[in-house]
Amino acid sequence: MTVELISVGTELLLGNIVNTNAAYLAEQCARLGLSCFYQTVVGDNAGRLAQILHTALSRSDVLILSGGLGPTQDDLTKETAAGVMGMALTRDEHTAKRLQEYFSRRKLELTENNWKQAMVPEGAIVIDNENGTAPGIIMEKEEKRVILLPGPPGELIPMFENAIAPYLAGAVPGVIHSQTVKLCGIGESKAETMVADLIAAQSNPTIAPYAKTGEVHLRITARASAEKEAKKLIKPVVKELKNRFGMNVYTTDEAVTLEQAVVDLLLANHLTVTTAESCTGGLLSARLTGVPGVSEVFKSGQVTYSNKAKHKLLGVKKPSLDKYGAVSENVAREMAKGAALASRADVAVAITGIAGPDGGSSSKPVGLVYIACRVRGKTKVKSYHFTGNRNKVRENSVVAALTLMRHCILEYYSEVTFR
Amino acid sequence: MTVELISVGTELLLGNIVNTNAAYLAEQCARLGLSCFYQTVVGDNAGRLAQILHTALSRSDVLILSGGLGPTQDDLTKETAAGVMGMALTRDEHTAKRLQEYFSRRKLELTENNWKQAMVPEGAIVIDNENGTAPGIIMEKEEKRVILLPGPPGELIPMFENAIAPYLAGAVPGVIHSQTVKLCGIGESKAETMVADLIAAQSNPTIAPYAKTGEVHLRITARASAEKEAKKLIKPVVKELKNRFGMNVYTTDEAVTLEQAVVDLLLANHLTVTTAESCTGGLLSARLTGVPGVSEVFKSGQVTYSNKAKHKLLGVKKPSLDKYGAVSENVAREMAKGAALASRADVAVAITGIAGPDGGSSSKPVGLVYIACRVRGKTKVKSYHFTGNRNKVRENSVVAALTLMRHCILEYYSEVTFR
């Protein structure tokens, strides 16, 4: 079964917003085992939208439209799609009641144009919108399906998850199941080379590598008659990937982020953590504190941007700053030590580097970063040479720090040694 | 002149990456005064791409393709587009030489398939790629133009800026000029209401509002025969917007971010700044330190996540924590005071709030945030009720803190009073 995505909205054509809906829907459809060959963006224009719909219906089985379901005159996705499908619009009393409740609960006035959102194509399946006013719509006619979703991601995503994904899963023969093996501390090309033979030989399940900043995610997708069968197909592949990538695998759970994995490791070993950041300026602590429940392990962190602050707050020795410079292995080590002693945390991570655009030299170029991690008195310092702009250098530093923290904690509690 | 964007890449159809190139190109084309009615995404498939090209050529004057210019067999954008345009591929010696230099400079081996990138459509304009191997291509034939750009944003963006934008500007009669008025401390709907009459009456220049997290940007675009004329048309509109929005205008320079504006204000008044963050966990300091040259004003910051850290590092009184709770006006005020005294910074900002998903109560719900800003001993505390998930609450808190910092500094140095 083939699916085609059509995003409706002049704001997309003007580049006012990035089309994250299309990426989200494309990924979800791929997971459901649907093939998608085309995505189109068109403005809030009935003639052009109708033409796009005719073309799409001639080449795809399922069309998923997003946007243009609002209450104003500009919003004409529903009217146009119903017209192309030859369906008349009729008032849906259930939706009318939902709208009334929605507005009264928020003490908002329901104006005349809002009733437009209670009109639905005759015979269509209506999906309640838990996070807004416009209902979702599914139209079915002669093997073709046209699905209309509201544009705001906060409405589209829950509606897709709760109603559209199960609907589409029911329409696809068999089930699709996928699992993700997430790697850190290994480059994209190296990881891809290490699974090239598996990818070349694959049919079911398939393996697809996704490169993230400092991480590689390998998604394994299987198709079978039942979920249990699909999981059975995936299991040996996960095992094989774990064998090949060993400690570089930080999770096999789609929902777990690298910072979550690090926090989980701290929690499991009853360790507290502190941060001492120079060039990243708080990005690492911000990422750690993005994990709900982090307060059990993270009590405080320091951003020591100036040399004076490194000396005063972390006890970095002035001769070290003078002799080696702030961006050096010695200073990174002293920062971690000082942070651990000041906060009495079990784990202390320190980052010092040159994020650019200025401040680089031939011996210490932009992108040079030292990261130290101290676990209960035992310290490891690594140097990195990142490329890209200030933002990229800082982002890569944070992922490298999380990776190093994970490695150091694992090393401390086992006999594993990382390069 | 109408333009159409065609993004080529299976990774887009699978949702592996978000199509930021399309948003970038759409925005740039809008700035150049080109009308764009369609954007299409298609995979690395010659048949489907050729069909898309025929359709696009039948309805648009300029096609901009991105992606599929790599050296592998999968990359067939150039071959397919040249075929549709009826142009044969020929070896470009200039590009061949550039490739050779590119590889030898990086001490990489130039393999046989790399020579594919030196093949160009006969008679096409070849654009050097300063950041990669694939050259850009412009094909012209009977009023139609087909432009091929490499997919990686780090190659596409500079190539568009340096070569394609001037080329397209030369093809459009007259010039387009735009300027952005950026607002903080005002909601999107309020800002839009305040310019509704201007937007309704506009023709040249036009005003377009862009909503960002906690900010509103108003872009004014004028079309004229020469840049000087266009600027002359824009000037009175900027003046009118400044009159209407007053101190909510933080810049009229497209390149200046809110954090840059705050850092500039600190620099101009010779003020140093420090941060004391609880729920934002370092996001504010990270954003400030994203500004190059911030080291002049920012020396250190604290992330005090636990009550103990607030007491120990910032001197927040234990009775205050017990009586009012960590998320309170009193504690925010004491955090700012403690941070100012400890760091001797002129300006201290403190953020304490409930980011969720847990930790909320009926009297202190998730989204409640207190922000204190102290400028040379004078403190202002504001409370906020943000909606959305943990991430949204934290992001909104950072923008609110930057806005409050700006207001407090301006108030301190003038007689302005902000609500």
Side-chain angles (χ1 to χ4, degrees):
Chain A
M1 204 157 75
T2 59
V3 67
E4 182 158 347
L5 305 180
I6 301 171
S7 309
V8 186
T10 303
E11 69 277 17
L12 289 164
L13 291 180
L14 290 172
N16 297 11
I17 56 169
V18 177
N19 198 354
T20 54
N21 281 345
Y24 169 79
L25 292 171
E27 186 172 353
Q28 297 305 314
C29 288
R31 279 190 193 204
L32 289 164
L34 298 161
S35 300
C36 176
F37 297 129
Y38 307 96
Q39 295 172 4
T40 309
V41 176
V42 62
D44 301 292
N45 175 290
R48 285 191 283 270
L49 175 56
Q51 175 208 339
I52 291 291
L53 287 170
H54 283 296
T55 306
L57 282 169
S58 74
R59 64 190 181 192
S60 302
D61 304 315
V62 181
L63 315 188
I64 303 181
L65 284 77
S66 54
L69 299 184
T72 73
Q73 291 291 331
D74 288 350
D75 296 297
L76 36 75
T77 299
K78 187 170 60 187
E79 292 73 7
T80 308
V84 169
M85 291 292 275
M87 293 178 174
L89 291 176
T90 174
R91 185 176 155 105
D92 180 49
E93 289 308 327
H94 168 76
T95 300
K97 203 176 149 219
R98 192 177 59 73
L99 287 175
Q100 212 147 28
E101 283 167 7
Y102 183 95
F103 280 87
S104 72
R105 213 181 318 127
R106 282 164 182 75
K107 298 188 177 64
L108 294 169
E109 201 190 340
L110 203 160
T111 55
E112 204 45 51
N113 60 354
N114 289 114
W115 293 120
K116 182 170 177 291
Q117 297 191 304
M119 300 296 286
V120 305
E122 223 160 358
I125 301 168
V126 178
I127 318 275
D128 283 356
N129 186 338
E130 312 277 342
N131 304 283
T133 53
I137 304 282
I138 302 177
M139 290 179 263
E140 298 174 331
K141 198 173 182 179
E142 298 157 9
E143 306 295 305
K144 298 288 180 185
R145 294 171 169 88
V146 176
I147 300 173
L148 313 183
L149 299 174
E155 301 177 27
L156 178 141
I157 293 172
M159 192 181 282
F160 189 90
E161 269 178 21
N162 299 332
I164 309 301
Y167 170 81
L168 290 172
V172 182
V175 297
I176 294 284
H177 191 76
S178 67
Q179 192 174 352
T180 303
V181 173
K182 298 187 179 181
L183 312 175
C184 65
I186 186 167
E188 181 193 355
S189 58
K190 188 173 176 200
E192 288 194 16
T193 308
M194 282 172 70
V195 291
D197 59 321
L198 297 179
I199 290 177
Q202 73 189 4
S203 60
N204 185 27
T206 56
I207 303 173
Y210 291 65
K212 312 277 169 184
T213 301
E215 299 184 38
V216 182
H217 297 181
L218 301 169
R219 181 174 300 146
I220 309 136
T221 306
R223 188 191 293 260
S225 54
E227 187 171 310
K228 207 177 147 188
E229 297 301 311
K231 284 185 175 171
K232 221 164 142 180
L233 288 167
I234 288 173
K235 212 175 158 186
V237 181
V238 171
K239 200 178 158 193
E240 176 63 25
L241 293 176
K242 278 182 164 178
N243 273 340
R244 291 189 183 197
F245 292 103
M247 303 306 294
N248 290 115
V249 177
Y250 74 81
T251 188
T252 57
D253 183 343
E254 177 67 40
V256 172
T257 58
L258 181 55
E259 56 269 30
Q260 173 81 64
V262 170
V263 169
D264 287 348
L265 204 55
L266 293 164
L267 283 167
N269 292 295
H270 307 287
L271 297 169
T272 56
V273 65
T274 191
T275 52
E277 301 181 64
S278 188
C279 64
T280 49
L283 278 179
L284 175 60
S285 62
R287 189 131 166 208
L288 285 170
T289 56
V291 178
V294 72
S295 55
E296 286 291 309
V297 295
F298 181 88
K299 310 295 177 185
S300 65
Q302 309 258 18
V303 181
T304 52
Y305 216 66
S306 67
N307 281 0
K308 208 172 154 186
K310 289 181 185 71
H311 170 65
K312 209 179 127 191
L313 298 172
L314 302 172
V316 174
K317 294 184 200 110
K318 280 183 177 168
S320 304
L321 288 163
D322 292 342
K323 189 170 170 193
Y324 307 109
V327 179
S328 63
E329 185 181 327
N330 300 61
V331 167
R333 187 182 297 274
E334 290 185 32
M335 283 172 73
K337 186 179 176 184
L341 297 182
S343 68
R344 296 195 193 164
D346 303 304
V347 178
V349 201
I351 307 177
T352 179
I354 300 158
D358 304 316
S361 67
S362 57
S363 61
K364 292 188 179 178
V366 167
L368 175 66
V369 178
Y370 288 91
I371 305 179
C373 181
R374 181 182 163 112
V375 180
R376 292 200 165 144
K378 199 177 159 192
T379 308
K380 182 167 202 159
V381 189
K382 282 187 78 169
S383 68
Y384 304 82
H385 289 83
F386 298 118
T387 53
N389 62 16
R390 184 176 178 88
N391 199 22
K392 277 274 165 222
V393 170
R394 287 166 31 111
E395 273 182 18
N396 276 305
S397 301
V398 171
V399 179
L402 290 168
T403 302
L404 184 64
M405 286 164 79
R406 184 175 165 273
H407 284 191
C408 287
I409 298 166
L410 288 172
E411 267 187 1
Y412 189 89
Y413 287 98
S414 65
E415 294 307 305
V416 199
T417 307
F418 292 93
R419 283 123 294 169
Chain B
M1 203 157 75
T2 59
V3 66
E4 182 159 348
L5 305 180
I6 300 171
S7 309
V8 186
T10 303
E11 68 279 16
L12 290 165
L13 290 181
L14 291 172
N16 297 11
I17 56 168
V18 177
N19 198 352
T20 54
N21 281 345
Y24 169 79
L25 293 170
E27 186 173 351
Q28 297 306 315
C29 288
R31 281 190 192 205
L32 288 164
L34 298 161
S35 300
C36 176
F37 296 130
Y38 307 95
Q39 295 172 4
T40 309
V41 177
V42 63
D44 300 294
N45 175 289
R48 285 191 283 270
L49 175 57
Q51 176 209 339
I52 290 291
L53 287 170
H54 283 295
T55 306
L57 282 168
S58 73
R59 63 190 181 192
S60 302
D61 304 316
V62 181
L63 315 189
I64 304 180
L65 284 76
S66 54
L69 299 184
T72 74
Q73 291 291 332
D74 289 350
D75 296 296
L76 36 75
T77 299
K78 187 170 59 188
E79 292 73 6
T80 308
V84 169
M85 292 292 276
M87 293 178 174
L89 291 177
T90 175
R91 185 176 155 105
D92 180 49
E93 289 308 329
H94 167 76
T95 300
K97 204 175 149 222
R98 192 177 58 75
L99 288 175
Q100 212 146 27
E101 284 168 5
Y102 184 95
F103 281 87
S104 72
R105 214 179 319 126
R106 282 164 182 73
K107 298 186 176 65
L108 295 169
E109 199 190 340
L110 202 159
T111 55
E112 204 45 51
N113 60 354
N114 289 114
W115 292 120
K116 183 170 176 290
Q117 297 190 305
M119 300 296 285
V120 305
E122 223 162 358
I125 302 169
V126 178
I127 318 275
D128 282 357
N129 186 340
E130 311 278 340
N131 303 283
T133 52
I137 304 284
I138 301 177
M139 292 179 262
E140 297 173 332
K141 196 173 183 180
E142 298 158 10
E143 305 296 305
K144 299 287 180 184
R145 294 172 169 88
V146 177
I147 300 172
L148 314 183
L149 298 175
E155 301 177 27
L156 178 141
I157 293 171
M159 192 181 281
F160 189 91
E161 269 176 23
N162 299 333
I164 309 300
Y167 170 80
L168 290 172
V172 182
V175 297
I176 293 285
H177 190 77
S178 67
Q179 192 174 353
T180 303
V181 174
K182 296 188 180 182
L183 312 176
C184 65
I186 186 167
E188 182 193 355
S189 57
K190 189 174 176 197
E192 288 195 14
T193 308
M194 283 172 68
V195 291
D197 59 319
L198 297 177
I199 290 177
Q202 72 190 5
S203 61
N204 186 26
T206 57
I207 304 173
Y210 291 65
K212 312 275 171 188
T213 301
E215 299 184 37
V216 181
H217 298 181
L218 301 169
R219 182 175 299 146
I220 309 137
T221 307
R223 186 192 294 260
S225 55
E227 186 171 311
K228 207 178 148 189
E229 296 302 310
K231 283 185 175 171
K232 221 166 144 181
L233 288 166
I234 288 172
K235 211 175 159 186
V237 181
V238 172
K239 200 178 158 195
E240 176 62 24
L241 292 176
K242 278 183 163 177
N243 274 341
R244 292 191 183 197
F245 292 103
M247 303 306 293
N248 291 115
V249 177
Y250 74 79
T251 188
T252 56
D253 182 342
E254 178 65 41
V256 172
T257 59
L258 180 55
E259 56 268 30
Q260 173 80 63
V262 170
V263 169
D264 288 347
L265 203 56
L266 292 163
L267 284 166
N269 291 294
H270 307 287
L271 297 169
T272 55
V273 65
T274 191
T275 52
E277 300 181 65
S278 188
C279 64
T280 49
L283 279 179
L284 175 61
S285 61
R287 189 130 166 211
L288 285 170
T289 56
V291 178
V294 72
S295 55
E296 285 293 309
V297 295
F298 182 89
K299 309 296 176 185
S300 66
Q302 308 259 16
V303 180
T304 52
Y305 216 65
S306 68
N307 281 359
K308 207 170 154 185
K310 289 181 185 74
H311 170 65
K312 207 177 128 193
L313 299 171
L314 302 172
V316 174
K317 294 184 200 110
K318 280 185 177 166
S320 304
L321 289 163
D322 292 342
K323 189 170 169 193
Y324 306 109
V327 179
S328 62
E329 186 181 328
N330 299 62
V331 167
R333 186 182 297 274
E334 289 184 33
M335 284 171 73
K337 186 179 176 184
L341 297 182
S343 68
R344 296 195 194 165
D346 303 305
V347 178
V349 202
I351 306 178
T352 179
I354 302 160
D358 304 318
S361 65
S362 57
S363 61
K364 293 188 179 178
V366 167
L368 174 67
V369 178
Y370 288 91
I371 305 178
C373 181
R374 181 182 162 112
V375 181
R376 293 201 165 144
K378 198 176 159 194
T379 309
K380 183 167 201 159
V381 189
K382 281 187 78 170
S383 67
Y384 303 82
H385 289 84
F386 297 119
T387 54
N389 62 18
R390 185 177 178 88
N391 199 23
K392 276 275 164 220
V393 170
R394 285 163 36 109
E395 274 182 17
N396 276 303
S397 300
V398 171
V399 179
L402 291 168
T403 302
L404 185 64
M405 286 164 79
R406 183 174 165 274
H407 283 192
C408 287
I409 298 165
L410 289 172
E411 267 187 0
Y412 189 90
Y413 285 98
S414 65
E415 294 306 306
V416 198
T417 307
F418 292 93
R419 281 124 296 169

PDB file of all heavy atoms in Angstrom, chain B residues 202-217:
ATOM      1  N   GLN B 202      -1.941  46.930   3.095  1.00  0.00           N
ATOM      2  CA  GLN B 202      -0.622  46.887   2.479  1.00  0.00           C
ATOM      3  C   GLN B 202      -0.639  46.501   0.997  1.00  0.00           C
ATOM      4  O   GLN B 202      -1.501  45.766   0.545  1.00  0.00           O
ATOM      5  CB  GLN B 202       0.276  45.907   3.233  1.00  0.00           C
ATOM      6  CG  GLN B 202      -0.093  44.451   3.002  1.00  0.00           C
ATOM      7  CD  GLN B 202       0.649  43.537   3.948  1.00  0.00           C
ATOM      8  OE1 GLN B 202       1.376  43.961   4.831  1.00  0.00           O
ATOM      9  NE2 GLN B 202       0.475  42.245   3.760  1.00  0.00           N
ATOM     10  N   SER B 203       0.299  46.993   0.267  1.00  0.00           N
ATOM     11  CA  SER B 203       0.548  46.466  -1.079  1.00  0.00           C
ATOM     12  C   SER B 203       2.056  46.404  -1.284  1.00  0.00           C
ATOM     13  O   SER B 203       2.625  45.337  -1.432  1.00  0.00           O
ATOM     14  CB  SER B 203      -0.156  47.319  -2.132  1.00  0.00           C
ATOM     15  OG  SER B 203       0.324  48.636  -2.093  1.00  0.00           O
ATOM     16  N   ASN B 204       2.731  47.520  -1.182  1.00  0.00           N
ATOM     17  CA  ASN B 204       4.189  47.560  -1.291  1.00  0.00           C
ATOM     18  C   ASN B 204       4.690  48.702  -0.420  1.00  0.00           C
ATOM     19  O   ASN B 204       4.385  49.850  -0.719  1.00  0.00           O
ATOM     20  CB  ASN B 204       4.600  47.781  -2.749  1.00  0.00           C
ATOM     21  CG  ASN B 204       6.107  47.699  -2.954  1.00  0.00           C
ATOM     22  OD1 ASN B 204       6.808  47.055  -2.210  1.00  0.00           O
ATOM     23  ND2 ASN B 204       6.586  48.405  -3.971  1.00  0.00           N
ATOM     24  N   PRO B 205       5.391  48.453   0.648  1.00  0.00           N
ATOM     25  CA  PRO B 205       5.870  47.150   1.142  1.00  0.00           C
ATOM     26  C   PRO B 205       4.784  46.321   1.826  1.00  0.00           C
ATOM     27  O   PRO B 205       3.739  46.844   2.163  1.00  0.00           O
ATOM     28  CB  PRO B 205       6.951  47.538   2.133  1.00  0.00           C
ATOM     29  CG  PRO B 205       6.605  48.906   2.585  1.00  0.00           C
ATOM     30  CD  PRO B 205       5.863  49.566   1.479  1.00  0.00           C
ATOM     31  N   THR B 206       5.089  45.036   2.033  1.00  0.00           N
ATOM     32  CA  THR B 206       4.201  44.155   2.771  1.00  0.00           C
ATOM     33  C   THR B 206       4.794  43.864   4.148  1.00  0.00           C
ATOM     34  O   THR B 206       6.004  43.967   4.346  1.00  0.00           O
ATOM     35  CB  THR B 206       4.023  42.808   2.046  1.00  0.00           C
ATOM     36  OG1 THR B 206       5.312  42.218   1.861  1.00  0.00           O
ATOM     37  CG2 THR B 206       3.356  42.988   0.694  1.00  0.00           C
ATOM     38  N   ILE B 207       3.918  43.517   5.091  1.00  0.00           N
ATOM     39  CA  ILE B 207       4.365  43.144   6.443  1.00  0.00           C
ATOM     40  C   ILE B 207       3.916  41.722   6.716  1.00  0.00           C
ATOM     41  O   ILE B 207       2.742  41.401   6.525  1.00  0.00           O
ATOM     42  CB  ILE B 207       3.733  44.059   7.517  1.00  0.00           C
ATOM     43  CG1 ILE B 207       4.045  45.532   7.222  1.00  0.00           C
ATOM     44  CG2 ILE B 207       4.221  43.680   8.916  1.00  0.00           C
ATOM     45  CD1 ILE B 207       3.325  46.496   8.145  1.00  0.00           C
ATOM     46  N   ALA B 208       4.831  40.872   7.136  1.00  0.00           N
ATOM     47  CA  ALA B 208       4.470  39.488   7.461  1.00  0.00           C
ATOM     48  C   ALA B 208       4.941  39.157   8.870  1.00  0.00           C
ATOM     49  O   ALA B 208       6.116  39.317   9.179  1.00  0.00           O
ATOM     50  CB  ALA B 208       5.097  38.517   6.466  1.00  0.00           C
ATOM     51  N   PRO B 209       4.027  38.736   9.758  1.00  0.00           N
ATOM     52  CA  PRO B 209       4.435  38.378  11.118  1.00  0.00           C
ATOM     53  C   PRO B 209       4.900  36.918  11.195  1.00  0.00           C
ATOM     54  O   PRO B 209       4.299  36.039  10.586  1.00  0.00           O
ATOM     55  CB  PRO B 209       3.149  38.565  11.930  1.00  0.00           C
ATOM     56  CG  PRO B 209       2.028  38.556  10.956  1.00  0.00           C
ATOM     57  CD  PRO B 209       2.573  38.641   9.567  1.00  0.00           C
ATOM     58  N   TYR B 210       5.984  36.676  11.905  1.00  0.00           N
ATOM     59  CA  TYR B 210       6.526  35.328  12.129  1.00  0.00           C
ATOM     60  C   TYR B 210       6.578  35.104  13.643  1.00  0.00           C
ATOM     61  O   TYR B 210       7.257  35.852  14.343  1.00  0.00           O
ATOM     62  CB  TYR B 210       7.947  35.210  11.573  1.00  0.00           C
ATOM     63  CG  TYR B 210       8.047  35.259  10.067  1.00  0.00           C
ATOM     64  CD1 TYR B 210       7.711  36.390   9.348  1.00  0.00           C
ATOM     65  CD2 TYR B 210       8.506  34.146   9.362  1.00  0.00           C
ATOM     66  CE1 TYR B 210       7.798  36.434   7.961  1.00  0.00           C
ATOM     67  CE2 TYR B 210       8.611  34.178   7.981  1.00  0.00           C
ATOM     68  CZ  TYR B 210       8.251  35.326   7.288  1.00  0.00           C
ATOM     69  OH  TYR B 210       8.355  35.347   5.922  1.00  0.00           O
ATOM     70  N   ALA B 211       5.867  34.092  14.143  1.00  0.00           N
ATOM     71  CA  ALA B 211       5.885  33.823  15.587  1.00  0.00           C
ATOM     72  C   ALA B 211       7.016  32.872  15.936  1.00  0.00           C
ATOM     73  O   ALA B 211       7.192  31.844  15.302  1.00  0.00           O
ATOM     74  CB  ALA B 211       4.556  33.222  16.012  1.00  0.00           C
ATOM     75  N   LYS B 212       7.818  33.271  16.935  1.00  0.00           N
ATOM     76  CA  LYS B 212       8.893  32.409  17.445  1.00  0.00           C
ATOM     77  C   LYS B 212       8.585  32.161  18.922  1.00  0.00           C
ATOM     78  O   LYS B 212       7.709  32.814  19.475  1.00  0.00           O
ATOM     79  CB  LYS B 212      10.250  33.127  17.329  1.00  0.00           C
ATOM     80  CG  LYS B 212      10.509  33.753  15.971  1.00  0.00           C
ATOM     81  CD  LYS B 212      11.092  32.763  15.000  1.00  0.00           C
ATOM     82  CE  LYS B 212      11.138  33.356  13.594  1.00  0.00           C
ATOM     83  NZ  LYS B 212      11.526  32.371  12.591  1.00  0.00           N
ATOM     84  N   THR B 213       9.299  31.265  19.569  1.00  0.00           N
ATOM     85  CA  THR B 213       9.067  31.035  20.993  1.00  0.00           C
ATOM     86  C   THR B 213       9.288  32.331  21.769  1.00  0.00           C
ATOM     87  O   THR B 213      10.412  32.820  21.837  1.00  0.00           O
ATOM     88  CB  THR B 213      10.017  29.943  21.546  1.00  0.00           C
ATOM     89  OG1 THR B 213       9.791  28.754  20.805  1.00  0.00           O
ATOM     90  CG2 THR B 213       9.754  29.675  23.024  1.00  0.00           C
ATOM     91  N   GLY B 214       8.204  32.887  22.306  1.00  0.00           N
ATOM     92  CA  GLY B 214       8.301  34.102  23.121  1.00  0.00           C
ATOM     93  C   GLY B 214       8.636  35.369  22.363  1.00  0.00           C
ATOM     94  O   GLY B 214       8.848  36.419  22.965  1.00  0.00           O
ATOM     95  N   GLU B 215       8.713  35.291  21.050  1.00  0.00           N
ATOM     96  CA  GLU B 215       9.047  36.468  20.249  1.00  0.00           C
ATOM     97  C   GLU B 215       8.101  36.578  19.047  1.00  0.00           C
ATOM     98  O   GLU B 215       7.507  35.590  18.635  1.00  0.00           O
ATOM     99  CB  GLU B 215      10.466  36.361  19.676  1.00  0.00           C
ATOM    100  CG  GLU B 215      11.565  36.265  20.698  1.00  0.00           C
ATOM    101  CD  GLU B 215      12.943  36.251  20.021  1.00  0.00           C
ATOM    102  OE1 GLU B 215      13.129  36.960  19.017  1.00  0.00           O
ATOM    103  OE2 GLU B 215      13.813  35.526  20.503  1.00  0.00           O
ATOM    104  N   VAL B 216       8.016  37.771  18.494  1.00  0.00           N
ATOM    105  CA  VAL B 216       7.305  37.960  17.225  1.00  0.00           C
ATOM    106  C   VAL B 216       8.225  38.763  16.304  1.00  0.00           C
ATOM    107  O   VAL B 216       8.775  39.787  16.725  1.00  0.00           O
ATOM    108  CB  VAL B 216       5.966  38.714  17.414  1.00  0.00           C
ATOM    109  CG1 VAL B 216       5.247  38.857  16.083  1.00  0.00           C
ATOM    110  CG2 VAL B 216       5.077  37.997  18.414  1.00  0.00           C
ATOM    111  N   HIS B 217       8.429  38.276  15.097  1.00  0.00           N
ATOM    112  CA  HIS B 217       9.232  39.009  14.117  1.00  0.00           C
ATOM    113  C   HIS B 217       8.302  39.535  13.026  1.00  0.00           C
ATOM    114  O   HIS B 217       7.474  38.799  12.504  1.00  0.00           O
ATOM    115  CB  HIS B 217      10.284  38.090  13.483  1.00  0.00           C
ATOM    116  CG  HIS B 217      11.273  37.547  14.471  1.00  0.00           C
ATOM    117  ND1 HIS B 217      12.314  36.726  14.117  1.00  0.00           N
ATOM    118  CD2 HIS B 217      11.391  37.727  15.815  1.00  0.00           C
ATOM    119  CE1 HIS B 217      13.016  36.420  15.195  1.00  0.00           C
ATOM    120  NE2 HIS B 217      12.464  37.011  16.229  1.00  0.00           N
TER     121      HIS B 217
END
